[in-house]
Amino acid sequence: MASLPAPDQPLTAKSGRVKAARRLARRASRSEHGLFLAEGPKALAEALPLPGCVAEVFATEEAGRTHTALRHAVSDSGAAWYTVTDDGLRALAGSVSPQGVVAVCRFLDVALDALLDSRPSGPLVVCADVRDPGNAGTVIRTADAVGAAGVVLAGNSVDPYNDKTVRATVGSLFHLPIVLADDPVALVGHLQAAGVRVLAADGAGETELFAARRDGLLEGRVAWLFGNEAWGLPEELRDRADHRIAVPIPGRAESLNLATAAAVCLYAGLDRS
């Protein structure tokens, strides 16, 4: 294991390197450089196994002492570890209570065709116009939990590299493929042409979820299509899906929120035999 270099003078919020990293809080800057911020030792630990993912790390002196193993792993990976003052860390952290570590990571998204060509097991999860970073992050985390093939953020969905989205994934962003798609309608056609059965989660769907499971509709190469938090899936997307699946609500609740509905649908498809 490589020895750690002696710490330099801690960087402050006014340091050029900290200012450059801070610009990644803006989507335009992230897109320009292909980099994003991942906050916390958990996120860093999940990112490090991906070759070349971590570009550099900013951490307070206390965090450096607390997370010595992580610091060694960063050094062994070839990424830079910079000690920052508390104000320097706060300038980079998006949370109210920073965890002492912020990593600059390289974009992770992959091309849809590359994902489909690999013929992964598990369902593909498609979010169409999902705007809330917390919801998107939770869907990614749930997809990871059920062993999904990947997550597609389509249309006007939130940026997966938004700091709130990254935090909401709790490290799952680094565990499964992420695909970005501009046109959800074209995406559905592309999936169907590749032999993927597209299931639209729709409260007014003609097939009840557990009937769909009984009939084998959740098996094989499947993509679940989830819509916007407020208005769901547009009609043109619902109509293009192979099946429209409704989650039963025997109680008095009007509906389920997006993340909960996604979890119910994805877990219903697990093979427990």
Side-chain angles (χ1 to χ4, degrees):
M1 180 180 292
S3 60
L4 296 176
D8 296 322
Q9 190 70 22
L11 304 178
T12 71
K14 296 181 179 180
S15 300
R17 191 169 292 276
V18 172
K19 288 182 177 180
R22 186 178 182 179
R23 295 189 191 101
L24 298 175
R26 300 196 300 268
R27 185 169 190 169
S29 183
R30 291 195 295 271
S31 298
E32 178 184 354
H33 299 287
L35 298 169
F36 69 101
L37 300 176
E39 182 181 343
K42 169 69 173 175
L44 174 58
E46 301 302 329
L48 277 171
L50 301 178
C53 178
V54 178
E56 56 188 6
V57 176
F58 298 89
T60 62
E61 291 188 60
E62 180 180 359
R65 290 191 297 268
T66 303
H67 303 290
T68 304
L70 265 184
R71 191 176 175 191
H72 275 293
V74 169
S75 178
D76 290 345
S77 76
W81 178 289
Y82 297 105
T83 300
V84 294
T85 60
D86 288 342
D87 74 298
L89 196 283
R90 284 193 297 270
L92 297 172
S95 63
V96 176
S97 301
Q99 300 176 55
V101 176
V102 174
V104 176
C105 298
R106 295 181 175 90
F107 277 11
L108 303 164
D109 48 281
V110 301
L112 177 62
D113 284 338
L115 174 58
L116 294 176
D117 288 346
S118 69
R119 299 190 68 84
S121 60
L124 190 63
V125 181
V126 179
C127 295
D129 297 334
V130 171
R131 306 288 183 85
D132 182 81
N135 272 333
T138 302
V139 170
I140 292 171
R141 185 181 182 186
T142 302
D144 180 24
V146 302
V151 175
V152 182
L153 294 172
N156 293 316
S157 289
V158 67
D159 180 7
Y161 305 118
N162 175 299
D163 66 305
K164 293 180 181 178
T165 308
V166 175
R167 284 201 304 276
T169 71
V170 196
S172 288
L173 180 69
F174 302 101
H175 294 171
L176 76 174
I178 303 294
V179 175
L180 306 180
D182 293 330
D183 186 345
V185 173
L187 170 70
V188 169
H190 195 122
L191 291 172
Q192 291 167 328
V196 178
R197 185 185 310 118
V198 177
L199 308 176
D202 179 14
E206 71 276 4
T207 304
E208 190 261 355
L209 177 64
F210 299 107
R213 173 173 172 152
R214 183 184 63 242
D215 295 341
L217 298 182
L218 310 187
E219 300 172 4
R221 300 190 78 191
V222 167
W224 275 102
L225 186 58
F226 300 103
N228 178 269
E229 296 88 346
W231 55 81
L233 289 167
E235 185 176 352
E236 60 180 350
L237 277 182
R238 292 198 306 268
D239 290 346
R240 282 171 169 76
D242 296 298
H243 301 277
R244 286 149 293 281
I245 310 296
V247 176
I249 302 180
R252 297 174 61 186
E254 178 185 3
S255 62
L256 297 174
N257 68 25
L258 168 64
T260 302
V264 171
C265 292
L266 293 172
Y267 272 96
L270 285 180
D271 181 4
R272 306 303 294 171
S273 60

